[in-house]
Amino acid sequence: MNLKGLIILFIVMIFGVTLKAQEPVAPVFPKMSKADTIRVASTNDNGMMIPWMQLQDVSIFAHRIWKSPAEQMAYNRLRYNVLKVMPYALFAKRRYQQLEEDIARTPEKKDQKKLVKQCDQEIKDMFNREIKELTITQGQILTKLIDREVGRTTYDIVKQTKGGFAAFSYQIVARVVGHNLKSTYNPNEDRDIESIIRTSGFYQ
């Protein structure tokens, strides 16, 4: 084949590819069977419908290397304390959210006070059953976790529900036994606590 023939063949090939690319391609869907019952999203990829679904995020943590056995023991102690008080923080979060929702649906101030009193009684009952047995360290961690979950310090919650004088009085008592109701949570400063929470299945 001479040079002219090669050029013509090359032009025909390009022209044919161009026409093929411009032709509308009907989407090709995967074949369905009787067992196919899950509906998922799909993306058209050059005429082929590709099914896909969004998966949950997966956190990957490196294996921690301890500087000393004492450091590992301190971490294990912290982990035990966090796992001990985290359920109480989650309870406070759920109960406080429920209280806010109930108050928003209740226009009468008198009925709102009843709701606050009921919530306060539930907290007291839980305190009498379980929380009073917590150590000082566990109590300190709990006040931080309440701030983490609720978005407000324990002091602010008491002040809103029972008034400033009650919050001030509770704070005085708390300080005597080594607590601080105004403790806040910082995921950078409290990164060990954050790591423990993230790897312990509380948010699965």
Side-chain angles (χ1 to χ4, degrees):
M1 182 180 293
N2 56 25
L3 179 60
K4 183 179 179 180
L6 288 175
I7 293 175
I8 293 174
L9 178 61
F10 182 69
I11 293 174
V12 171
M13 290 177 62
I14 294 178
F15 185 71
V17 170
T18 303
L19 287 179
K20 184 176 180 181
Q22 292 176 347
E23 291 176 356
V25 180
V28 179
F29 294 90
K31 292 183 178 180
M32 304 289 288
S33 66
K34 294 181 179 180
D36 292 323
T37 58
I38 301 177
R39 294 180 177 272
V40 297
S42 61
T43 299
N44 190 336
D45 184 13
N46 294 325
M48 176 66 73
M49 299 303 295
I50 308 297
W52 58 271
M53 65 176 61
Q54 185 174 357
L55 301 178
Q56 294 182 348
D57 293 338
V58 177
S59 299
I60 300 176
F61 298 90
H63 179 70
R64 186 163 182 172
I65 299 176
W66 306 102
K67 296 179 180 179
S68 65
E71 184 184 49
Q72 184 173 6
M73 288 180 61
Y75 180 85
N76 291 339
R77 225 170 17 249
L78 176 64
R79 187 175 189 277
Y80 172 82
N81 290 332
V82 171
L83 298 183
K84 175 76 173 179
V85 302
M86 188 62 183
Y88 302 135
L90 293 175
F91 173 82
K93 176 183 180 179
R94 292 190 298 268
R95 191 61 187 89
Y96 187 67
Q97 288 176 340
Q98 183 63 48
L99 176 62
E100 287 190 323
E101 293 173 2
D102 292 341
I103 290 178
R105 293 193 296 265
T106 307
E108 296 294 334
K109 293 292 184 180
K110 183 178 179 180
D111 294 332
Q112 290 181 0
K113 290 181 179 180
K114 289 181 179 180
L115 292 172
V116 172
K117 186 176 180 180
Q118 180 183 358
C119 178
D120 186 51
Q121 187 60 48
E122 290 183 19
I123 298 295
K124 284 181 179 179
D125 291 342
M126 186 177 66
F127 178 86
N128 291 330
R129 288 195 313 269
E130 303 174 49
I131 296 181
K132 68 178 182 179
E133 303 296 334
L134 298 180
T135 66
I136 292 178
T137 300
Q138 291 169 351
Q140 292 170 343
I141 295 173
L142 177 58
T143 55
K144 285 192 172 188
L145 294 185
I146 288 177
D147 179 61
R148 180 186 188 275
E149 296 302 318
V150 180
R152 297 180 183 180
T153 65
T154 306
Y155 182 89
D156 292 333
I157 294 174
V158 174
K159 183 177 180 180
Q160 181 181 4
T161 56
K162 297 185 71 65
F165 180 76
F168 177 75
S169 301
Y170 287 6
Q171 174 71 343
I172 292 177
V173 176
R175 296 298 287 174
V176 170
V177 296
H179 292 270
N180 182 5
L181 302 184
K182 296 182 180 180
S183 294
T184 58
Y185 184 82
N186 187 319
N188 294 322
E189 296 177 359
D190 303 306
R191 56 182 179 274
D192 283 341
I193 295 179
E194 186 70 19
S195 174
I196 293 169
I197 294 173
R198 292 292 181 184
T199 58
S200 298
F202 285 108
Y203 295 97
Q204 291 181 354

